[in-house]
Amino acid sequence: MRIFNFSAGPAVLPEEVLKCAAAEMMDWHGSGMSVMEMSHRGREFTGIAEKAEADLRSLLGIPADYKVLFLQGGAIAEFAFVPLNLLGGRRSADYVNTGEWSKKAIKEARQYCAARVAASSEDRAFTYVPERAGWELDPNAAYVHVCTNETIGGVEFHFTPDTGNVPLVADMSSHFLSRPVEVSKYGVIYAGAQKNAGAAGLTLVIVRDDLLDRAAPITPSVFRWKEQAENESMVNTPPTWAIYVAGLVFEWLLAQGGLAATERRNIEKSALLYDFLDRSSLYRNPVDPVDRSRMNIPFRLQDAALDEAFLKGAKEHGLIQLKGHRSVGGMRASIYNAMPLAGVQALVDYMKEFERRHA
Ligand SMILES: *Cc1c(COP(=O)(O)O)cnc(C)c1O
């Protein structure tokens, strides 16, 4: 039996995707091989990778002057490879600090450049996104970096910031493909696949062509976007299995009606949980309502002494991975695309019952 898995990542995948991967495990489309056993340069696998890229382009409406790269190293590797690929001789970049992942990105970037904090929500414990009007941007910065969904704090950008001529770079790891995105407003978008787009091991990087020529000479070739773009992401052996699984997720999203339909479902699912949290006297979400994440929903119980009983009871109800991140405590429900409405409803039903017993 499948349980409802609220893990922040690696996370729940669509059952249709898992069933398809299982059915094709021993013999992919009559090839007599598993995808895991294929040469990455063979006809079968290059077909899989090309279809995955084409489906991703169609889902996000990626313009022709952007490259799609299938890399490794995760979003944390990109925290270093964003400055290495984009500084182009400049000395500083602007960062917006909205939480734990922004902080990590800033810390890593400081190995390579002056990472200026152009705006921060640290004054109120990262419970909101600073309004664009208050950002202090440097027109000479190499780029402006944002984390558009803070997985730990549960804060999401519901607007696309205008940064003028300075390229906007976004870590979208935990809400990638949860809603439509105006790709043309960004210079670079990157995301680890294991939150909302597949299995661990794959990092997606979408980069505008004119930004490919800025890499520092010391950038390792497998992380040099230009070199990977010129080699179909095959400078090294790409994460073939993770690309295949991501391709199945892209097909699933297209069959579900694409990203506009996906966004509508995500609005419905997150509203179900937030409405309950806001009416409850036992549970509380601290984030400003306009900046709340539809993917990662942290909440606290009024009395932290109840946390353990809450988690134990949840597990007995088939609801797992609700413990908040170790850096902030409390609870967190991650409700990615593959979490069905029934899973959120089961969580709310359990929370109601727990509240009745402990009020
Ligand atoms: C999970 C996550 C990361 C780290 O991803 P890795 O795959 O571990 O490198 C970075 N940024 C955000 C927003 C995340 O959710």
Side-chain angles (χ1 to χ4, degrees):
M1 198 199 70
R2 303 259 306 156
I3 38 87
F4 290 123
N5 175 7
F6 296 91
S7 169
V12 57
L13 282 166
E15 279 193 18
E16 291 89 335
V17 165
L18 297 173
K19 281 182 182 151
C20 179
E24 295 179 346
M25 176 62 76
M26 301 300 287
D27 177 7
W28 182 84
H29 294 206
S31 65
M33 291 181 279
S34 170
V35 174
M36 268 184 270
E37 301 172 301
M38 291 174 181
S39 161
H40 58 294
R41 299 194 192 278
R43 193 168 37 85
E44 293 90 351
F45 183 76
T46 51
I48 289 172
E50 278 162 20
K51 170 109 182 1
E53 176 175 341
D55 285 348
L56 180 62
R57 283 184 175 275
S58 130
L59 274 170
L60 277 169
I62 299 175
D65 60 333
Y66 284 73
K67 295 287 186 287
V68 173
L69 308 177
F70 294 133
L71 306 182
Q72 298 178 62
I76 292 177
E78 293 309 320
F79 290 171
F81 293 115
V82 162
L84 278 169
N85 277 283
L86 290 182
L87 281 169
R90 288 178 198 254
R91 293 217 183 87
S92 84
D94 281 351
Y95 279 72
V96 176
N97 184 9
T98 49
E100 299 304 320
W101 288 114
S102 296
K103 280 202 295 193
K104 278 205 161 77
I106 292 166
K107 188 170 174 222
E108 192 75 10
R110 286 195 169 142
Q111 313 257 15
Y112 307 99
C113 66
R116 277 184 68 247
V117 176
S120 169
S121 57
E122 195 158 16
D123 59 336
R124 282 202 279 125
F126 299 121
T127 52
Y128 69 101
V129 178
E131 271 181 44
R132 169 64 191 87
W135 297 11
E136 289 170 18
L137 295 180
D138 171 4
N140 294 314
Y143 58 88
V144 180
H145 183 279
V146 291
C147 174
T148 46
N149 188 68
E150 287 281 358
T151 322
I152 295 172
V155 170
E156 180 170 5
F157 278 63
H158 293 290
F159 62 96
T160 308
D162 183 356
T163 54
N165 290 329
V166 181
L168 177 62
V169 177
D171 174 2
M172 292 196 181
S173 293
S174 50
H175 72 161
F176 192 61
L177 304 180
S178 69
R179 63 180 208 201
V181 171
E182 278 182 279
V183 176
S184 64
K185 298 263 171 79
Y186 296 83
V188 179
I189 291 169
Y190 65 95
Q194 76 275 16
K195 307 285 166 65
N196 208 16
L202 170 64
T203 317
L204 297 134
V205 177
I206 301 167
V207 50
R208 205 172 62 217
D209 287 345
D210 65 300
L211 299 175
L212 287 171
D213 254 334
R214 303 184 179 190
I218 58 160
T219 311
S221 53
V222 297
F223 291 108
R224 197 184 284 243
W225 297 336
K226 182 163 196 257
E227 203 157 326
Q228 287 287 17
E230 286 166 352
N231 291 280
E232 279 76 45
S233 303
M234 291 193 189
V235 170
N236 55 338
T237 309
T240 52
W241 176 256
I243 292 170
Y244 161 71
V245 174
L248 295 181
V249 171
F250 304 157
E251 280 177 15
W252 178 78
L253 285 167
L254 287 167
Q256 301 284 303
L259 297 190
T262 299
E263 177 176 44
R264 283 196 294 278
R265 277 189 295 274
N266 288 328
I267 290 172
E268 184 188 5
K269 286 189 299 178
S270 56
L272 178 62
L273 185 48
Y274 282 122
D275 289 348
F276 170 70
L277 289 168
D278 289 344
R279 283 195 315 267
S280 150
S281 51
L282 182 65
Y283 311 99
R284 189 176 167 274
N285 168 279
V287 179
D288 281 5
V290 291
D291 298 321
R292 285 172 166 176
S293 169
R294 295 175 189 146
M295 297 284 102
N296 310 99
I297 305 186
F299 59 92
R300 282 180 178 285
L301 277 63
Q302 210 176 46
D303 179 1
L306 290 174
D307 284 3
E308 218 172 291
F310 177 86
L311 289 167
K312 184 165 175 278
K315 195 164 178 210
E316 285 159 15
H317 285 74
L319 310 164
I320 66 150
Q321 297 281 354
L322 285 162
K323 199 176 161 90
H325 190 269
R326 57 195 142 78
S327 65
V328 294
M331 305 296 151
R332 172 176 53 176
S334 295
I335 52 171
Y336 295 118
N337 291 340
M339 173 60 65
L341 182 63
V344 183
Q345 187 63 60
L347 174 61
V348 168
D349 290 346
Y350 165 69
M351 289 171 72
K352 269 187 199 156
E353 184 207 307
F354 187 87
E355 180 164 6
R356 217 168 28 240
R357 280 192 283 120
H358 294 274

